[in-house]
């Protein structure tokens, strides 16, 4: 899988969006693969098992006229090619309600995975997350977010340019 570099989702195997527990048949190219996508794909059909090559090339999105990330649930970036790379050639992630992809420094951030507050503290990111927390997209103030993250997971992102970390939560 190392031959496919997804800059906005650098380790989809560790986040659970790629599986390697069996051999599957890619619904795009029809070839057997021992690493396959098992995450969200927004299309009218039910296709969602894809090999990394068909995602990276954009073939799966093109063939089935779908997106791996809802293009309406992203921060704004000025370069439409970046939006295409994110929505058409990057594995998505699973959220509780609606996934949202963060951007910073004019580009989308890298999705790093699911984290509780204890995970963030253990990684030494708690102070940084408090500074970068965005109430405008999470719909709760930081103290409420911190409370929810005690028992539930948020979605950790890192800016590709400045390296800052951000958390997105989607609790009810």
């Amino acid at each position: 899988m190392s031959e496919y570099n997804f800059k906005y989702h650098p380790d989809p195997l560790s986040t659970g969006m790629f599986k390697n527990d069996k051999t599957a048949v890619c619904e795009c190219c029809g070839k057997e693969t021992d690493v396959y996508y098992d995450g969200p794909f927004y299309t009218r059909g039910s296709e969602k098992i894809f090999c990394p090559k068909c995602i990276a090339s954009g073939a799966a999105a093109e063939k089935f006229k779908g997106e791996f990330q809802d293009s309406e649930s992203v921060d704004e970036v000025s370069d439409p090619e970046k939006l295409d790379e994110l929505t058409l050639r990057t594995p998505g992630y699973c959220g509780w309600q609606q996934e949202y992809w963060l951007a910073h420094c004019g580009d989308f951030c890298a999705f790093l995975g699911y984290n509780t507050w204890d995970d963030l503290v253990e990684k030494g990111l708690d102070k940084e997350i408090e500074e970068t927390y965005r109430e405008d997209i999470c719909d709760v103030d930081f103290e409420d977010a911190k409370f929810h993250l005690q028992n539930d997971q948020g979605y950790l992102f890192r800016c590709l340019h400045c390296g800052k970390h951000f958390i997105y939560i989607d609790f009810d």
Side-chain angles (χ1 to χ4, degrees), residues 2 10 13 25 30 52 70 80-81 124 138 143-144 163 171:
S2 60
L13 195 58
V25 175
D70 177 6
E81 180 55 35
C138 295
E143 288 305 315
D144 284 343
F171 301 105

Side-chain angles (χ1 to χ4, degrees), residues 23 62 72 74 78 102 112 172:
T23 299
E62 183 178 347
E72 298 297 317
V74 299
S78 60
L102 302 177
L112 302 180
D172 187 22

Side-chain angles (χ1 to χ4, degrees), residues 3-154:
E3 63 192 277
Y4 305 106
N5 181 20
F6 299 103
K7 77 176 186 178
Y8 298 130
H9 196 150
D11 195 358
L13 195 58
S14 76
T15 64
M17 293 302 96
F18 279 152
K19 307 281 187 200
N20 63 351
D21 57 350
K22 65 181 181 182
T23 299
V25 175
C26 175
E27 295 179 50
C28 181
C29 67
K31 295 178 182 173
E32 285 190 352
T33 179
D34 58 353
V35 176
Y36 62 96
Y37 181 69
D38 189 28
F41 185 62
Y42 302 96
T43 186
R44 290 181 183 216
S46 60
E47 300 84 9
K48 69 179 242 173
I49 303 295
F50 303 117
C51 67
K53 181 179 180 182
C54 286
I55 295 173
S57 70
E62 183 178 347
K63 182 174 182 175
F64 298 109
K65 297 181 181 11
E67 297 178 326
F68 293 96
Q69 169 64 35
D70 177 6
S71 60
E72 298 297 317
S73 296
V74 299
D75 276 347
E76 189 174 322
V77 297
S78 60
D79 183 350
E81 180 55 35
K82 291 176 181 179
L83 181 62
D84 284 351
E85 182 169 349
L86 175 68
T87 60
L88 306 177
R89 298 185 300 277
T90 300
Y93 74 93
C94 291
W96 183 64
Q97 291 181 350
Q98 175 62 49
E99 300 82 12
Y100 189 88
W101 213 285
L102 302 177
H104 194 257
C105 293
D107 199 356
F108 293 108
C109 294
F111 174 67
L112 302 180
Y114 308 93
N115 287 256
T116 64
W117 184 251
D118 289 342
D119 295 333
L120 297 172
V121 170
E122 185 176 307
K123 292 175 182 177
L125 296 175
D126 50 320
K127 301 286 188 237
E128 182 179 355
I129 292 298
E130 185 173 2
E131 292 171 9
T132 62
Y133 179 73
R134 293 185 47 201
E135 187 175 331
D136 65 314
I137 58 166
C138 295
D139 292 329
V140 295
D141 66 31
F142 181 72
E143 288 305 315
D144 284 343
K146 196 168 140 181
F147 172 78
H148 285 296
L149 286 168
Q150 297 296 329
N151 298 311
D152 295 309
Q153 295 180 332

